[in-house]
Amino acid sequence: MKEPTSSKDISLKESEMLLLRGTAGTVAIVKAGPHGQFFLETENEEIVLGLEPHDLIVASALSVDEKTEKGLKCVLFMIREIRSPLIVLPKNHPASPRLPIVVSAGQKTVLNCNITPGTHPNQDVLCGSNEFNGLEVTGTQEGVHIEKLPECEVVKVNFDI
C-alpha cells in the first residue's frame, strides 16, 4: 500500500456527494446543510449535535461496488434530508460486526480501522477500511479539506435520490 498524500482541498456543494473509492472500502461525504440540529441516540441518552452548514456527514463502508455507493447515498440522505437520528450501539452489541455502513457527523472526522463499528458516540472517529486508516476530513466553507488521503478514486456525484 502506498503512503497517503499529504493534503488536498476539494470543493463540495450542498447538492453534491464526494466519494472516495478505495480497493476495500468506500467513503462518502456530504455537507451538513442548513438544518443545524441532528440527534445522536445512545443506550442512555439523546445528544443534540449542533452543526454548521459547512460541517460534514461522513459515511464509510467496507465494500466497493455500485450497490454500496447507492447505500451510502441513501443513508446520508436519510440522516440529512429525512432527519433520521444517528444511532450508537452499546459496546459488544451483536449487530456491530454486521453493520455495512457507519456514519459520523461534525466538523472533523478521522477514519480508524481498529475500532468497533457503530459503537463510538464521539463523532470525530469513524470505522473504515485499512487503506483509509488515519484519513482526516474537515468541512470548510468551500468544501472539504482532506489529510492523509491514500491512493484512491475521488469522484463527485449529485446528492439526490
Side-chain angles (χ1 to χ4, degrees):
M1 181 182 310
K2 283 189 167 184
E3 286 295 314
T5 60
S6 57
S7 67
K8 187 170 193 166
D9 289 306
I10 301 171
S11 67
L12 185 66
K13 298 175 185 169
E14 189 181 313
S15 61
E16 298 173 323
M17 179 174 79
L18 185 66
L19 287 169
L20 309 178
R21 292 180 184 143
T23 57
T26 308
V27 177
I29 304 164
V30 295
K31 292 286 196 181
H35 298 299
Q37 283 190 341
F38 293 86
F39 294 93
L40 178 70
E41 310 296 336
T42 72
E43 183 177 20
N44 302 315
E45 64 183 331
E46 179 177 78
I47 299 168
V48 178
L49 298 174
L51 300 182
E52 297 293 329
H54 63 273
D55 287 339
L56 304 173
I57 305 173
V58 181
S60 173
L62 300 177
S63 54
V64 181
D65 58 21
E66 185 178 340
K67 188 185 290 187
T68 297
E69 291 181 12
K70 288 179 179 177
L72 288 163
K73 183 185 278 187
C74 184
V75 166
L76 291 172
F77 194 88
M78 286 289 296
I79 292 168
R80 192 179 87 177
E81 301 300 326
I82 306 297
R83 316 289 296 144
S84 178
L86 294 127
I87 297 172
V88 178
L89 297 174
K91 299 280 184 208
N92 302 316
H93 192 282
S96 263
R98 291 191 295 276
L99 291 174
I101 294 173
V102 289
V103 178
S104 175
Q107 180 182 20
K108 177 180 177 181
T109 297
V110 178
L111 272 77
N112 186 322
C113 67
N114 298 313
I115 61 173
T116 304
T119 62
H120 293 267
N122 299 337
Q123 290 297 295
D124 60 349
V125 64
L126 183 64
C127 180
S129 63
N130 285 343
E131 65 201 305
F132 290 116
N133 191 46
L135 175 85
E136 297 177 15
V137 294
T138 305
T140 66
Q141 294 291 337
E142 298 78 27
V144 180
H145 177 76
I146 301 177
E147 293 281 341
K148 301 176 186 171
L149 180 66
E151 188 172 308
C152 66
E153 186 178 3
V154 179
V155 179
K156 275 193 276 189
V157 298
N158 286 331
F159 184 62
D160 59 1
I161 300 288

